[in-house]
Amino acid sequence: MKGDGITFHPGPLCGELDVPGDKSISHRALIAGAFGRAQLRIANLNPGRDVRATREALVALGIRIEVEGGETTVRGGALREPGGVLDCMNSGSTARMLLGACAGAGVRANFDGDSSLRRRPMEPVAAQLRAFGAQIETTDGRLPVKYRGTPEIQTRRFILLAPSAQVKSALLFAGLFAGVGVRVEGDRGSRDHTERLLAYLGLPVDWDGRSIDLAPGDALRRRESSVEVAGDFSAAAFFITAAAVTPRSSILIRKTGVNPTRTGLLDVLREMGAHIELRNERTVSGEPVADIRVAYAPLHATAVGPELALRAIDEIPLIAIAAAFADGSTAIAGVGELRTKESDRIAAIERLLQAVSIETEVQPAGLTIRGGRPSRAQEIVATDEDHRIAMAAAVLGCSAGPLAIDSMQSVDVSFPGFAQALEALQSERV
Ligand code: S3P
């Protein structure tokens, strides 16, 4: 293969592994740490480029962050105006959540990102923060974004215009950094890591999956705290799916986050007939964690509606791959948001499955996959520099390979070392 492309070969996955710290929780832990006055020690922070973008942006905003061994220490304080543009790289979470923090703190800043992030919508978060009172200019609804200050807080009660955890978190961080209470309504069960983390750190927050009330609190400003970040379910998801579709596979993924707002994939795979077991369930820093055992079993089709899809929003490419191996047609609905992720993931899924001769019918906000026997791909599959599409392609290669993809560089945003981890499981003896 030319360039940094790589070919994935079929073969069962066996053995045990750990996955990197959760990316979503890592962003939030850094931002919550920046708000405190006492230090926050974070263990198992995600090592990828997206979380680095948040860390470096916070340093540019005047926050001291030290990384030593496996531990990151954030010494919070007042945010201050950065000297230059905040480079959010490939990370939507960085741009949206830090815009919320700056809007609350009233610290002017300019935000930008790479060419992929510049294509993604910033208007949904900007519009809701404008209702808060923030003066924000986008570039045709996207980055670069200029935040010019919050002369006066106009509302503290929001109705979410989209069921986005990033937008919800931006509003909660705006309230936190402004030192005012906020109420967010209209959630539909999106990931609740911000709520759990703030509650774990002692802040007065109540939520029920539909609305969130965050009252002003100074717990974070008084005491030193520590957070251990659970293994990233969205990273574990690649191995879970690969083992579920590859005959003779049996794996155990240790200490993985199993927050129910994230584990829609497990529900879908179980419904399809997969053998999945959660062991040693416990709570780590306010988040449910378990060891996940998965073994191969033949799968059958299912239907995935919008509520379930929201709890599996980053795993839809993997659900589509499982559906490709399942008996019957699987319909996935209410996932239009996938068109504005790191790439147009609906188009990417269609391309991926087409490469292995699986028929997919694509709608504007959904897709139907006719399962069967994926065949060997003849061409190199393009990943659009999207980490989750590159790793999903690798999963397809485990069972329907050999499958060659154009580049694996993008995986560094969330899971440096992914290909090596996969190879290690494939080389274990059955
Ligand atoms: C995330 C929320 C989701 C998800 C993204 C991370 C988060 O995005 O797709 O990978 O950490 O809050 P949306 O909030 O846009 O749905």
Side-chain angles (χ1 to χ4, degrees):
M1 279 230 42
K2 276 193 245 140
D4 65 332
I6 181 167
T7 301
F8 291 93
H9 296 272
L13 286 76
C14 293
E16 301 191 2
L17 84 154
D18 296 296
V19 288
D22 187 280
K23 184 160 82 73
S24 289
I25 300 173
S26 295
H27 288 296
R28 289 158 169 83
L30 288 169
I31 299 171
F35 173 74
R37 289 284 182 271
Q39 64 178 28
L40 179 69
R41 281 176 288 110
I42 310 169
N44 201 30
L45 194 77
N46 179 280
R49 241 185 312 132
D50 275 11
V51 171
R52 179 154 66 83
T54 293
R55 175 161 59 82
E56 288 179 0
L58 285 171
V59 169
L61 285 161
I63 302 301
R64 279 201 298 151
I65 303 179
E66 283 153 27
V67 185
E68 212 181 300
E71 199 166 85
T72 303
T73 304
V74 187
R75 286 168 221 279
L79 300 186
R80 55 151 210 257
E81 216 170 292
V85 174
L86 296 178
D87 180 5
C88 304
M89 303 187 202
N90 193 244
S91 175
S93 300
T94 306
R96 293 165 184 152
M97 291 196 245
L98 283 184
L99 186 59
C102 287
V107 169
R108 291 151 59 111
N110 296 330
F111 295 77
D112 205 350
D114 67 13
S115 56
S116 150
L117 192 56
R118 274 185 168 207
R119 286 193 294 269
R120 299 180 63 190
M122 286 296 288
E123 195 52 34
V125 69
Q128 301 228 264
L129 287 168
R130 280 190 206 108
F132 182 71
Q135 295 179 337
I136 299 170
E137 287 163 36
T138 65
T139 308
D140 295 328
R142 301 184 166 79
L143 290 172
V145 162
K146 289 181 182 162
Y147 163 64
R148 289 286 161 258
T150 306
E152 125 185 61
I153 293 175
Q154 284 167 11
T155 184
R156 302 171 188 197
R157 178 173 171 253
F158 305 92
I159 304 206
L160 275 183
L161 300 173
S164 161
Q166 292 179 357
V167 173
K168 173 179 69 173
S169 300
L171 296 172
L172 295 175
F173 283 130
L176 183 71
F177 279 80
V180 300
V182 288
R183 177 172 169 82
V184 182
E185 295 170 10
D187 192 10
R188 284 194 250 138
S190 67
R191 62 189 68 189
D192 63 359
H193 300 305
T194 307
E195 297 88 315
R196 282 177 185 267
L197 179 68
L198 295 181
Y200 168 76
L201 292 171
L203 283 144
V205 55
D206 273 328
W207 74 103
D208 61 6
R210 294 286 171 264
S211 58
I212 306 105
D213 276 297
L214 173 65
D218 66 351
L220 260 171
R221 298 194 181 263
R222 281 185 274 109
R223 50 169 193 259
E224 284 192 13
S225 318
S226 58
V227 171
E228 182 179 350
V229 180
D232 195 331
F233 180 80
S234 293
F238 298 102
F239 304 105
I240 293 170
T241 310
V245 301
T246 309
R248 291 182 292 119
S249 295
S250 174
I251 61 167
L252 181 86
I253 310 165
R254 288 179 291 249
K255 217 178 196 179
T256 305
V258 288
N259 179 323
T261 60
R262 292 282 297 281
T263 52
L265 173 74
L266 297 184
D267 300 345
V268 175
L269 288 176
R270 280 178 167 147
E271 179 62 36
M272 293 173 115
H275 288 176
I276 298 172
E277 199 191 315
L278 298 191
R279 293 184 178 173
N280 198 10
E281 292 185 60
R282 63 252 193 225
T283 301
V284 174
S285 302
E287 288 278 349
V289 164
D291 303 333
I292 307 176
R293 172 159 294 285
V294 189
Y296 168 78
L299 302 181
H300 51 79
T302 187
V304 181
E307 297 283 323
L308 187 49
L310 179 63
R311 296 195 298 108
I313 194 66
D314 292 336
E315 284 68 61
I316 302 298
L318 293 170
I319 291 176
I321 287 173
F325 288 90
D327 192 15
S329 286
T330 295
I332 306 172
V335 291
E337 188 194 330
L338 291 190
R339 299 233 179 244
T340 56
K341 292 292 181 190
E342 285 83 329
S343 71
D344 175 345
R345 287 189 179 155
I346 293 186
I349 291 169
E350 185 183 24
R351 199 171 53 233
L352 211 53
L353 296 186
Q354 215 159 42
V356 293
S357 309
I358 289 291
E359 240 179 84
T360 312
E361 188 201 305
V362 162
Q363 302 101 34
L367 59 167
T368 303
I369 298 118
R370 191 157 311 166
R373 276 174 193 266
S375 65
R376 246 183 96 160
Q378 302 301 327
E379 305 136 35
I380 298 174
V381 175
T383 59
D384 284 348
E385 294 175 45
D386 179 336
H387 60 135
R388 299 206 193 279
I389 296 303
M391 292 187 275
V395 168
L396 196 54
C398 287
S399 203
L403 185 137
I405 71 166
D406 56 358
S407 171
M408 277 306 265
Q409 260 179 18
S410 59
V411 308
D412 284 354
V413 308
S414 62
F415 196 162
F418 165 79
Q420 292 82 344
L422 182 59
E423 198 186 335
L425 289 180
Q426 284 193 311
S427 58
E428 288 267 341
R429 287 267 158 260
V430 185

